[in-house]
């Protein structure tokens, strides 16, 4: 089987799949230094023809797609044509992440709670629109795949207006959204045409620095489960969001077969609203969610890829998982790459989950075989345990054994559940 992608999320997928007795040959494209320990890495771009060609050549029985871009480009459609089961939706449904306007329209049709919004273009009265949402920070979203950089949340009217104007100029239109107050959570829902399975909710930390200060990032750390999603909140999410979205997605020509990432805001009344959909596992949410699953990962993913999810029972381990991301100096604006990473060699041998392990992301080797940081988010230190405070401490102990000049990480991951 083939895992597509090369980040911390794909390393987590490979670790979980490696634990399955049903996986005999694990391949990863392009993979990273961590997946190299447990899978055969293939140096190949994200070109759809090349990826499907490799899957055919390997006689793959399953393709699992990590990132959204190849899904939006039609990788699942191409696998389908080649007769290979694919975990990840076809392009028409991946559009839920590819276009925020499409996601809003889908939520309206399905009756799913989300923030009110206006679509603004060159003909719009921008001041009237800004007035309509005044009082709270303005939330402006570009309708493009921008890796988290297409959203501005600001109380500065001038900044909001400038971002709106620049976005209209480059994209033709932009969304202005009502600000949702509350606490964020992430819910991963594995689904196919017949069934869905909700994985335990987690919480990401999107801002770069402690106390939720600094710029938005891809995610600086996460923990699972997130207590903000209590049993009653979970029930509301299922009734108001998961059920209607699954009904909508299951009745499409090709049903949604993959994982739907629901970015949520839980308000002061414990009511859930959708902030965004992604059509893939979250990164770093994946790193803390998968280790809590007792269910065989191949059975879950292959089941969803083949409309067999109804036969898969979700079983969970007790306890919590925490992951802390190490980022390169300058991340997210302009990460400095190529610096040596020390302390990793003894950690690399971990090919299965234990008490603590490293999820590799932007790590490669130089000409002498030394580990170097090759990305903005370099790696994350993950721990699993019965008690969240102890687990948090364990992941920081692991982090403190690793050094990277200028590297930075947050020291308060999981604070909301511990304070
Ligand atoms: P998105 O890419 O849509 O997830 O937006 C990125 C981040 O901006 C989210 O994780 C939230 O922290 C914030 N955000 C987006 N939309 C809203 C909203 N309507 N209200 C409050 N915060 C938001
Ligand atoms: N951690 C949020 C995301 O993967 O988009």
């Amino acid at each position: 089987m083939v895992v597509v992608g090369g980040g911390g999320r794909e390393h987590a997928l490979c670790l979980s799949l490696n634990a399955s007795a049903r996986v005999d040959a694990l391949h990863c494209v392009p993979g990273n230094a961590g997946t190299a320990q447990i899978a055969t890495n293939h140096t190949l771009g994200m070109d759809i023809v090349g990826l499907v060609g490799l899957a055919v050549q390997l006689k793959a029985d399953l393709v699992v797609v990590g990132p959204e871009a190849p899904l939006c480009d039609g990788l699942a459609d191409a696998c389908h044509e080649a007769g290979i089961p694919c975990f990840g939706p076809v392009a028409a449904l991946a559009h839920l992440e590819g276009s925020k306007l499409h996601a809003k329209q889908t939520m309206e049709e399905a009756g799913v709670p989300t923030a009110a919004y206006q679509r603004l273009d060159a003909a719009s009265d921008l001041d009237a629109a800004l007035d309509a949402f005044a009082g709270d920070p303005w939330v402006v979203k570009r309708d493009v795949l921008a890796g988290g950089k297409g959203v501005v949340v600001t109380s500065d009217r001038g900044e909001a207006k400038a971002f709106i104007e620049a976005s209209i100029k480059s994209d033709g239109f932009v969304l202005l959204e009502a600000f949702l107050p509350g606490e964020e959570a992430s819910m991963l829902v594995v689904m196919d045409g017949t069934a869905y399975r909700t994985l335990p909710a987690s919480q990401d930390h999107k801002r770069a620095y402690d106390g939720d200060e600094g710029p938005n990032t891809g995610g600086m750390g996460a923990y699972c489960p997130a207590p903000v999603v209590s049993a009653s909140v979970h029930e509301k999410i299922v009734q108001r969001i998961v059920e209607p979205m699954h009904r909508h997605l299951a009745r499409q020509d090709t049903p949604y077969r993959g994982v739907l990432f629901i970015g949520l805001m839980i308000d002061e009344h414990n009511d859930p609203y959708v902030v965004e959909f992604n059509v893939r596992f979250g990164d770093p949410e994946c790193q803390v969610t998968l280790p809590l699953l007792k269910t065989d990962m191949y059975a879950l993913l292959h089941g969803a890829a083949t409309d067999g999810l109804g036969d898969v029972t979700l079983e969970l381990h007790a306890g919590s998982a925490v992951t802390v991301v190490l980022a390169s100096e300058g991340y997210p604006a302009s990460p400095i790459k190529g610096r040596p990473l020390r302390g990793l060699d003894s950690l690399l041998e971990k090919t299965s989950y234990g008490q603590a392990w490293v999820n590799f992301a932007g790590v490669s080797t130089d000409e002498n075989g030394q580990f170097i940081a090759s990305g903005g988010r370099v790696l994350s230190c993950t721990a699993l345990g019965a008690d969240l405070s102890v687990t948090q401490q364990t992941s920081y102990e692991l982090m403190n054994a690793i050094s990277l000049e200028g590297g930075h990480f947050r020291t308060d991951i999981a604070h909301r559940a511990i304070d």
Side-chain angles (χ1 to χ4, degrees):
M1 63 161 301
V2 178
V3 173
V4 176
R9 165 182 51 210
E10 288 76 22
H11 188 201
L13 283 162
C14 285
L15 284 167
S16 286
L17 287 163
N18 190 46
S20 170
R22 294 174 61 184
V23 175
D24 46 25
L26 189 55
H27 296 267
C28 200
V29 196
N32 60 36
T35 66
Q37 301 298 309
I38 44 183
T40 308
N41 283 349
H42 297 263
T43 314
L44 201 68
M46 286 294 117
D47 158 67
I48 302 303
V49 175
L51 288 170
V52 175
L54 178 72
V56 169
Q57 184 199 325
L58 294 170
K59 297 193 172 60
D61 56 348
L62 178 64
V63 173
V64 175
V65 189
E68 65 281 11
L71 292 168
C72 291
D73 289 345
L75 179 54
D77 308 64
C79 286
H80 195 61
E81 273 165 37
I84 302 172
C86 179
F87 183 86
V90 293
L93 302 181
H95 209 44
L96 267 183
E97 176 167 356
S99 163
K100 293 199 185 273
L101 180 62
H102 174 69
K104 283 290 192 191
Q105 289 165 340
T106 304
M107 282 187 266
E108 274 174 329
E109 280 164 37
V112 166
T114 184
Y117 75 101
Q118 284 187 21
R119 177 189 180 282
L120 302 175
D121 59 26
S124 306
D125 180 341
L126 301 191
D127 281 306
L130 287 163
D131 287 343
F133 291 106
D136 284 315
W138 287 279
V139 180
V140 187
K141 295 188 178 180
R142 291 180 61 199
D143 194 56
V144 292
L145 272 185
K149 297 194 184 93
V151 178
V152 164
V153 180
T154 178
S155 300
D156 179 337
R157 188 178 174 117
E159 187 191 358
K161 192 168 177 182
F163 188 65
I164 291 172
E165 286 169 340
S167 305
I168 292 174
K169 203 167 171 201
S170 67
D171 312 332
F173 71 97
V174 71
L175 306 189
L176 179 62
E177 210 176 272
F179 179 81
L180 294 167
E183 189 169 336
E184 282 186 78
S186 306
M187 180 108 134
L188 299 168
V189 186
V190 176
M191 55 172 79
D192 67 11
T194 68
Y196 67 82
R197 298 286 180 263
T198 59
L199 309 189
S202 54
Q203 197 167 53
D204 184 12
H205 300 61
K206 291 215 168 125
R207 301 295 191 120
Y209 313 127
D210 283 8
D212 295 324
E213 301 283 340
N216 253 320
T217 70
M220 293 299 290
Y223 66 100
C224 183
V228 63
V229 179
S230 61
S232 70
V233 171
H234 187 272
E235 185 57 26
K236 288 182 195 173
I237 295 169
V238 168
Q239 296 304 330
R240 299 176 191 176
I241 300 167
V242 178
E243 288 270 1
M245 284 307 294
H246 182 248
R247 267 198 302 280
H248 170 78
L249 293 169
R251 65 162 184 258
Q252 305 297 316
D253 292 340
T254 305
Y256 193 103
R257 299 185 183 116
V259 60
L260 183 67
F261 168 122
I262 309 177
L264 294 156
M265 194 69 81
I266 317 295
D267 77 3
E268 57 180 342
H269 308 292
N270 285 324
D271 285 322
Y273 294 83
V274 176
V275 174
E276 64 162 343
F277 289 126
N278 294 326
V279 297
R280 51 177 173 81
F281 285 104
D283 186 342
E285 288 92 332
C286 184
Q287 288 87 311
V288 287
T289 308
L290 299 193
L292 291 172
L293 303 186
K294 215 187 270 181
T295 302
D296 182 280
M297 189 54 53
Y298 181 88
L300 181 70
L301 303 184
H302 186 265
T306 55
D307 276 348
L309 193 58
D311 298 327
V312 179
T313 308
L314 201 64
E315 286 183 278
L316 303 176
H317 292 293
S320 307
V322 177
T323 198
V324 181
V325 171
L326 175 66
S328 291
E329 180 176 350
Y331 177 79
S334 42
I336 298 172
K337 298 176 189 173
R339 286 184 175 159
L341 273 157
R342 303 193 206 284
L344 271 185
D345 298 83
S346 62
L347 301 169
L348 191 64
E349 273 105 58
K350 291 232 182 260
T351 54
S352 64
Y353 296 131
Q355 197 196 14
W357 62 93
V358 174
N359 286 108
F360 288 72
V363 179
S364 41
T365 45
D366 66 10
E367 62 276 11
N368 304 318
Q370 298 292 321
F371 288 120
I372 54 168
S374 58
R377 289 192 292 176
V378 178
L379 54 80
S380 71
C381 293
T382 315
L384 181 64
D387 177 82
L388 184 63
S389 302
V390 176
T391 308
Q392 181 200 44
Q393 214 179 322
T394 310
S395 46
Y396 279 111
E397 276 161 20
L398 191 57
M399 181 63 88
N400 288 325
I402 298 169
S403 72
L404 168 67
E405 186 195 335
H408 62 100
F409 57 88
R410 280 183 59 160
T411 65
D412 63 351
I413 301 301
H415 70 96
R416 279 205 189 76
I418 292 171
D419 290 347

